[in-house]
Amino acid sequence: MHTSLQFGLREWKINDLDSLVLHGINPNISKFMSDAFPDTKEKWERFLRNVITDKSLLYRAIDIDGKAVGGIGISPHRGEKRCNAELGYWLSETYWNRGIITTAVKQILSLAFETYPALKRIYATPYGNNTTSHKVLIKAGFTLEACFEKIILKNNEFLDEYVFAYRKVEI
């Protein structure tokens, strides 16, 4: 069920740390995330310091009532893949199934194409068992480009990796 809930995307602040620890350290989130996803207060603090100082990344907090309850980001590639960028996101379990991530993905796409004029393709690589994320990406206009079978080892289980992409339409 989708209920309208006001949220915004904003830059990260160092005082988001307590909210990240509260909302981000959750096995129901981390099971769908890379092993690099922070799972301690110290790792979340390192994440914050990195995204605040590294201006090459387009990472934003998902803010509800002044609290960071999730994150979304674009990591542009360099060199011969400079027209591509990777999308990643997560949201506090408290706010799941409200349409927030789908809307946030659409917002970050617009911001990414404005920020990086050379960008032509944004892709995401959710695990095969993350069907909710697959639906989010399709609703946001992404197309399934590939499925790599059993290449992810997560929690002692081999998982498929899906590649969804959004390509900039030239007008």
Side-chain angles (χ1 to χ4, degrees):
M1 179 173 156
H2 294 282
T3 56
S4 181
L5 188 64
Q6 294 292 346
F7 77 93
L9 302 184
R10 64 162 169 81
E11 292 192 11
W12 288 99
K13 301 180 288 195
I14 199 66
N15 65 358
D16 287 327
L17 182 59
D18 289 340
S19 190
L20 285 175
V21 169
L22 175 67
H23 294 284
I25 300 177
N26 178 335
N28 291 327
I29 295 171
S30 61
K31 72 182 177 183
F32 295 122
M33 305 301 285
S34 148
D35 287 347
F37 188 73
D39 59 357
T40 65
K41 184 174 185 172
E42 293 73 28
K43 289 179 183 176
W44 275 117
E45 188 171 11
R46 271 196 303 266
F47 164 83
L48 281 174
R49 293 192 188 288
N50 183 49
V51 298
I52 289 168
T53 58
D54 187 346
K55 298 304 178 189
S56 73
L57 303 172
L58 183 62
Y59 284 18
R60 295 293 184 259
I62 298 173
D63 182 292
I64 295 176
D65 296 329
K67 301 288 183 198
V69 299
I72 189 162
I74 299 284
S75 301
H77 290 283
R78 292 186 170 89
E80 67 277 6
K81 290 190 175 182
R82 65 188 167 275
C83 295
N84 296 272
E86 185 170 8
L87 166 69
Y89 50 83
W90 68 274
L91 182 66
S92 170
E93 190 173 5
T94 304
Y95 301 102
W96 286 2
N97 300 311
R98 298 186 190 194
I100 293 170
I101 284 293
T102 302
T103 303
V105 168
K106 291 175 182 177
Q107 290 176 3
I108 202 83
L109 285 176
S110 293
L111 188 56
F113 288 123
E114 286 173 23
T115 305
Y116 309 108
L119 196 59
K120 303 293 181 211
R121 176 179 170 269
I122 297 174
Y123 70 94
T125 56
Y127 300 155
N129 63 348
N130 191 352
T131 55
T132 300
S133 193
H134 303 174
K135 290 174 187 172
V136 162
L137 293 166
I138 290 167
K139 284 181 186 175
F142 283 68
T143 303
L144 178 63
E145 288 189 339
C147 173
F148 299 99
E149 294 183 13
K150 310 275 186 257
I151 66 165
I152 304 289
L153 180 59
K154 183 75 176 179
N155 299 323
N156 296 313
E157 180 183 4
F158 280 99
L159 303 172
D160 297 343
E161 179 185 66
Y162 281 52
V163 178
F164 287 87
Y166 184 97
R167 292 181 183 266
K168 182 178 181 181
V169 178
E170 300 292 338
I171 298 175

